[in-house]
Amino acid sequence: MIDRKPIESWLTDMDGVLIHEGVPVPGADAFIKRLRETGRPFLVLTNNSIYTPRDLHARLSRMGLDVPVESIWTSALATAKFLDNQHPGGTAYAIGEAGLTTALHDAGYVLTDTDPDFVILGETRTYSFEALTKAIRLINDGARFIATNPDNTGPSPEGALPATGSVAALITKATGKDPYFIGKPNPLMMRTGLNALGAHSESSAMIGDRMDTDILAGLEAGMETFLVLTGVTTGTADIDQYPFRPTNVVDSIADLVDLV
C-alpha cells in the first residue's frame, strides 16, 4: 500500500453519497458540518447539468445540508470552464437547462443556432426532436461536439430516464462524430475542481457511490478514493466487476466524519 499524505481537501459526489432518492443519507449532515467547522476545502460534485449551484444549494438546504454555493461543482460548470480555457468568447448551440446555459453565459459564451463553434449537449427532462435534429445538422456542418457527461441513464421515481450519454449516442450515430465528454469519469472535472479549491491531488480524497464514474475519476486524477455503499454500488460483487479498486470501501458517509 502506498503511503499517502493526510487528506486536506475533500470532493464528494452528491446523489448516492449525501442524498438518496431525495432524502439525506444518515451522517451526511454531520459530515458537511465537520467540514465547515474544520475549514477543510471541499466540493460537492454532480454530473447532472440541469441545475445551477444556487438551485442545488437551495435543494440541499431544504434537506438540512448546508453546502455553500461556491462549494458545488457541476458538469455544466466544468464544461464552461473547459470552453473558456480552450476557446474563450466562443459561440455554442446548447441543449440543456438553466444549469448549462447559465454557466455558458457566465463564461462569456454567446448561445446561437447560426454557425456555432460548438454543439453542447447537456441534461434535460424534455429532449426535443427538433433540437436534436438541429444539433445533428450543425455538427455535420462543422460544429465541434461536446457533452457535459457520459451518464446513459438518470434516476426518477418511476425508474430510469435516458440521460446525456444515451442521447449523445443518437447524435453520434447520425453524424459519425463522437463528443468530448467533460464530466466524470473524465479526470478533467476533478482537476478543474481541485484547481478551484487550490488543492493538490496527493492530499485530496474523492467520495463516490459509482465505480465507473466517481472512483475511476478520482483514481485517474491521483486522489485517494472512498466508495460508499449507499447508492449504485451495494457490495463486493459490484466492485469485483471492475479491473480497478477504490482505496477504501465504507458503508456510508457517516463512517468518514471522524476522518475530517
Side-chain angles (χ1 to χ4, degrees):
M1 182 66 96
I2 298 172
D3 288 334
R4 297 192 61 96
K5 293 183 178 180
I7 300 169
E8 297 175 359
S9 307
W10 292 85
L11 275 63
T12 176
D13 186 39
M14 186 171 66
D15 291 302
V17 179
L18 299 178
I19 60 175
H20 184 64
E21 296 181 350
V23 178
V25 172
D29 54 346
F31 183 76
I32 297 296
K33 184 179 179 186
R34 180 67 63 87
L35 285 170
R36 301 205 66 183
E37 287 174 348
T38 58
R40 294 282 188 206
F42 75 98
L43 283 180
V44 173
L45 286 83
T46 177
N47 259 4
N48 191 318
S49 64
I50 290 179
Y51 304 106
T52 67
R54 287 179 62 189
D55 295 334
L56 292 172
H57 164 75
R59 179 183 170 200
L60 292 168
S61 292
R62 287 194 296 271
M63 299 180 196
L65 301 178
D66 186 16
V67 180
V69 171
E70 60 271 17
S71 297
I72 296 173
W73 190 246
T74 71
S75 64
L77 291 176
T79 298
K81 183 70 172 175
F82 169 79
L83 291 169
D84 188 39
N85 288 336
Q86 289 271 310
H87 192 96
T91 59
Y93 177 69
I95 298 175
E97 302 284 347
L100 178 59
T101 56
T102 300
L104 292 171
H105 277 304
D106 289 348
Y109 257 62
V110 173
L111 302 184
T112 179
D113 62 0
T114 303
D115 194 25
D117 299 315
F118 298 93
V119 165
I120 305 172
L121 178 68
E123 207 79 61
T124 175
R125 293 288 181 259
T126 55
Y127 285 111
S128 148
F129 185 79
E130 182 182 356
L132 296 178
T133 301
K134 172 69 76 173
I136 288 164
R137 290 172 179 168
L138 291 171
I139 292 167
N140 283 337
D141 287 341
R144 286 156 285 180
F145 185 17
I146 301 281
T148 57
N149 63 292
D151 299 57
N152 289 321
T153 61
S156 82
E158 295 79 31
L161 293 168
T164 307
S166 296
V167 181
L170 182 156
I171 295 175
T172 294
K173 196 73 172 177
T175 62
K177 299 288 178 63
D178 292 317
Y180 182 57
F181 289 110
I182 302 294
K184 300 172 292 181
N186 188 344
L188 179 76
M189 181 163 172
M190 318 298 281
R191 293 190 182 282
T192 52
L194 288 171
N195 289 342
L197 288 179
H200 196 286
S201 59
E202 283 188 337
S203 56
S204 299
M206 175 65 198
I207 311 165
D209 69 311
R210 295 185 67 120
M211 289 288 290
D212 57 347
T213 55
D214 306 318
I215 300 306
L216 181 57
L219 174 74
E220 292 189 346
M223 302 165 67
E224 186 166 355
T225 56
F226 290 85
L227 179 74
V228 297
L229 305 179
T230 49
V232 170
T233 307
T234 57
T236 304
D238 293 338
I239 300 169
D240 289 343
Q241 295 178 41
Y242 296 90
F244 54 89
R245 298 188 69 81
T247 319
N248 312 273
V249 180
V250 296
D251 288 332
S252 79
I253 192 80
D255 299 310
L256 302 180
V257 175
D258 290 340
L259 296 183
V260 177

